[in-house]
C-alpha cells in the first residue's frame, strides 16, 4: 500500500469521528465537501456549470478530447451529501484520460427530497444529453457509492421508458442493498473505516423515506431484472462493508447474460479511487476503467 | 470569533507542524494544495484554463457578470507553493460579488525560477490582458501574501515600462519586507500560527536566489518610489508576523500621495479571507473589497 492511499483511510476516519458531532445536516454536508481534497487537480480541464434537464450539473471538458462522447457521472455521498464539486476532479481525471467530456450531476438530496427524486434527476439528465444529440452508444455512466446505485437504476428506468441505453456502465464501490442483508456488512465490520451496519441502515431509511420499499428494484437493483443491460464494470475494495453489493449485483447481471466485470482490490477502502493523481492504487484502478471504456465508446 | 474562522488557524497549525516533514518540495506543494479546502464553493462560476502571455492561468467566469472588467489575481504561497487551484474559489467569490471575471495566474515557482521570474510572469499577464482589449482602468489587481507583493511590484514595473496602470489594487496580507526587519516579526511571534522569523527569512532567500538584493524595489517595494500608483486597499490580520509590511507600505504610499486604505482585522490570522463562504469574518472582509473596488472599476 502506498503512503498516498492512506489519505483515503484517514479521510474516512475523520468523517466517521465527526459523524455525530455536526450541528446540522448542512454542517455535515459542508464538512463532507473536504472529500475533494483527496484528489489532485487533473489540470488542463475546464469546468462549466449548466442545467441538465433542469438539474444543476457541471461539464468537465478536457483541453484535448472529443465532444461527442460523454461520461454521465453520479457522485457518491449516501444521497444526502457529496456534490458535483466533491467529485469534479475524480471524474475529470477519467474524462481527461478517456479523451471525452464528463457531465457531473448535482442531483437533489435526501431526506429533503427522498427517492425517487435522485433517480428522476439522473434520468432527466440522460434524456437531456440525448436531446443534445449525443448518441446513446457514445455515453457511459459512471458513479461511486450512491452514484453507483444510480448508474444501474437509471439504466433500468431508461429501459422501462424505451430509451436507448448507454454503451457502458462503471459503478465504483456501489451501494445497492437497501435491506441491510449482505454478508459483508458483518464480515467487513471494523475493516471498513467509514461504514457501520447501523449507519448504512440509517442512510437507506433517509433515502427511501417513510413509504419507501427496500425491495423496490429502482432503489435496490438486486431485485431487478437485469437482462439486456449494457456492459458493466464494477470496482470495489476488499475491506468494504458494501463489498457484497458489488459481488451479488455482478453475479445477478452475469446470470442475466450481461457482460459484466468486477475487480476487487485487496486492502482497499470505499471509493479509494478518490486519491486519483496522488495514489498509484487509484490511478491504476482508473486506468483500467479507461482502457475498458474507450473501445465501448468506439474511441479506438 | 466565529467557529468557522477557526479553520484558518487550524490550517496554519497543520502547515506549520508538517513544514519540516515533507520528503520533497513537490510533496510540500502538494500538501499545500489543501489550502483550498478552507474556501466554500462560490457556485455559478465557470473555470477556463488559458495561457496569459505564455503563463498558465485560469479564468473564473461568474454566470452573471460583465466580461470587460477583470480582476488580475496573484495567489499566495511564498512564491514556492500555492496555485491557481488553491485560490480558485477565493478569487471566484470576489469576482462573483463584483460581477466581473477574474484571471488567476499560475506563475513560476521559486527556487527553480527565482526572482524576477514571477514578476515577469505577472507583468506578461497584465500586458496580455491589455492586448485582449481590456482597458487598464477596467482592471484591478488582487493578491494575497506573496501575491500581495506582486500586486505592487507589477505596478512598479508596468509604470517603468510606460504601461497604463490598473484602476485599483487589493493586497491581502501582503509580504514586502525581504530583509526581515519589521517590528511585527518580533511583536507577533507566537501569535501568528504560520510564520516564524526564520521561515520568512528562508522563503525570502529562496525567492531572491543567490544574487538577489533584499532592497531591490521590485522585490521589496518598501524601497520603491510609490508616487503615481493607483488606489490601494490593504487588508491584514492583527496577529500576523507580516503586519508591519502592510502598515509601512500603506504609510509610504500615503506619504507619496497615493489614495490608500488599510484595514487591520483584530484577532485575524494570515489570509483569513480564505474561509470565504464559510466564516462571516472572511465574507465581511471581502464584501469591503467589493464595495470599494466596484466604483473604481466604474461599475456603479
Amino acid at each position: 500500500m502506498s503512503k498516498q492511499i492512506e489519505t483515503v483511510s484517514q479521510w474516512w476516519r475523520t468523517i466517521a469521528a465527526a459523524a455525530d458531532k455536526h450541528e446540522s445536516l448542512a454542517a455535515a454536508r459542508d464538512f463532507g465537501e473536504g472529500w475533494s481534497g483527496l484528489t489532485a487537480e487533473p489540470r488542463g480541464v475546464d469546468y462549466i456549470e449548466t442545467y441538465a434537464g433542469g438539474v444543476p450539473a457541471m461539464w468537465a471538458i478536457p483541453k484535448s478530447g472529443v465532444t461527442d462522447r460523454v461520461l454521465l457521472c453520479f457522485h457518491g455521498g449516501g444521497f444526502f451529501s457529496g456534490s458535483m464539486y466533491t467529485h469534479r476532479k475524480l471524474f475529470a481525471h477519467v474524462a481527461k484520460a478517456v479523451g471525452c467530456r464528463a457531465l457531473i450531476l448535482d442531483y437533489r438530496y435526501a431526506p429533503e427530497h427522498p427517492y425517487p427524486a435522485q433517480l428522476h434527476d439522473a434520468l432527466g439528465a440522460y434524456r437531456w444529453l440525448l436531446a443534445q444529440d449525443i448518441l446513446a452508444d457514445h455515453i457511459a455512466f459512471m458513479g461511486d457509492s450512491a452514484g453507483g446505485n444510480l448508474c444501474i437504476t437509471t439504466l433500468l428506468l431508461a429501459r422501462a421508458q424505451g430509451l436507448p441505453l448507454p454503451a457502458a456502465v462503471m459503478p465504483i464501490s456501489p451501494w445497492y442493498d437497501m435491506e441491510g442483508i449482505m454478508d459483508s456488512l458483518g464480515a467487513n465490520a471494523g475493516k471498513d473505516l467509514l461504514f457501520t451496519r447501523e449507519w448504512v441502515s440509517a442512510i437507506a431509511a433517509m433515502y427511501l423515506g417513510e413509504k419507501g420499499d427496500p425491495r423496490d428494484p429502482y432503489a435496490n437493483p438486486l431485485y431487478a431484472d437485469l437482462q439486456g443491460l449494457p456492459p458493466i464494470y464494477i470496482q470495489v475494495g476488499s475491506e468494504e462493508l458494501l463489498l457484497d453489493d458489488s459481488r451479488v449485483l455482478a453475479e445477478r447481471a452475469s446470470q442475466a447474460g450481461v457482460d459484466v466485470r468486477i475487480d476487487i482490490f485487496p486492502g482497499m477502502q470505499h471509493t479509494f479511487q478518490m486519491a486519483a493523481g496522488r495514489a498509484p492504487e487509484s490511478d491504476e484502478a482508473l486506468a483500467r476503467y479507461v482502457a475498458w471504456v474507450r473501445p465501448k465508446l468506439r474511441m479506438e
Side-chain angles (χ1 to χ4, degrees), chain A:
Chain A
M1 294 233 293
S2 72
K3 186 182 151 194
Q4 292 82 2
I5 200 71
E6 288 292 327
T7 60
V8 175
S9 300
Q10 192 48 49
W11 172 250
W12 290 138
R13 282 190 200 98
T14 303
I15 283 286
D20 54 2
K21 290 176 189 157
H22 300 294
E23 287 169 9
S24 65
L25 202 47
R29 286 167 179 155
D30 190 49
F31 190 82
E33 289 291 296
W35 199 358
S36 70
L38 296 179
T39 319
E41 286 285 350
R43 304 190 76 97
V45 181
D46 296 329
Y47 304 94
I48 311 287
E49 294 191 13
T50 187
Y51 288 89
V55 185
M58 181 195 287
W59 282 112
I61 309 175
K63 287 293 187 187
S64 55
V66 300
T67 57
D68 66 343
R69 264 76 165 180
V70 174
L71 307 178
L72 179 55
C73 299
F74 309 117
H75 69 79
F79 294 117
F80 72 92
S81 70
S83 71
M84 61 187 177
Y85 301 111
T86 52
H87 285 60
R88 171 181 67 83
K89 291 180 279 182
L90 172 71
F91 294 129
H93 273 289
V94 179
K96 185 178 171 182
V98 169
C100 69
R101 295 187 292 170
L103 182 71
I104 309 167
L105 197 66
D106 220 38
Y107 54 78
R108 284 171 288 173
Y109 284 139
E112 295 91 333
H113 303 277
Y115 169 84
Q118 296 73 18
L119 180 60
H120 287 168
D121 286 353
L123 189 75
Y126 181 54
R127 279 188 179 280
W128 179 83
L129 265 186
L130 297 174
Q132 310 300 304
D133 291 329
I134 307 292
L135 300 175
D137 60 2
H138 285 178
I139 298 172
F141 290 178
M142 186 170 220
D144 63 298
S145 198
N149 180 297
L150 290 176
C151 275
I152 301 295
T153 53
T154 305
L155 276 185
L156 297 172
L157 192 56
R159 187 186 62 185
Q161 298 192 0
L163 294 176
L165 297 185
V169 190
M170 296 175 280
I172 300 172
S173 298
W175 176 38
Y176 299 124
D177 167 29
M178 296 288 146
E179 299 176 287
I181 60 172
M182 292 290 115
D183 288 344
S184 55
L185 289 170
N188 276 342
K191 291 189 194 171
D192 188 309
L193 298 171
L194 170 65
F195 285 121
T196 61
R197 180 191 290 272
E198 293 68 32
W199 203 31
V200 175
S201 287
I203 297 172
M206 200 154 71
Y207 180 50
L208 295 171
E210 286 183 12
K211 295 178 186 167
D213 172 5
R215 297 188 181 184
D216 178 340
Y218 290 105
N220 180 348
L222 301 178
Y223 287 93
D225 169 12
L226 302 174
Q227 279 184 59
L229 297 192
I232 301 172
Y233 174 13
I234 303 178
Q235 292 189 353
V236 64
S238 69
E239 311 302 283
E240 297 196 41
L241 236 63
L242 306 185
L243 171 59
D244 286 347
D245 295 55
S246 288
R247 276 184 175 148
V248 175
L249 192 285
E251 215 173 86
R252 303 275 164 81
S254 181
Q255 285 161 1
V258 176
D259 171 9
V260 60
R261 169 178 170 183
I262 175 169
D263 286 358
I264 300 172
F265 291 77
M268 291 296 109
Q269 293 286 327
H270 192 56
T271 66
F272 67 93
Q273 296 85 345
M274 284 294 275
R278 294 224 170 89
E281 291 88 344
S282 308
D283 290 336
E284 197 267 328
L286 292 178
R288 292 191 203 180
Y289 269 134
V290 173
W292 180 84
V293 81
R294 280 180 53 88
K296 303 279 186 297
L297 293 170
R298 292 180 290 147
M299 294 185 70
E300 53 191 11

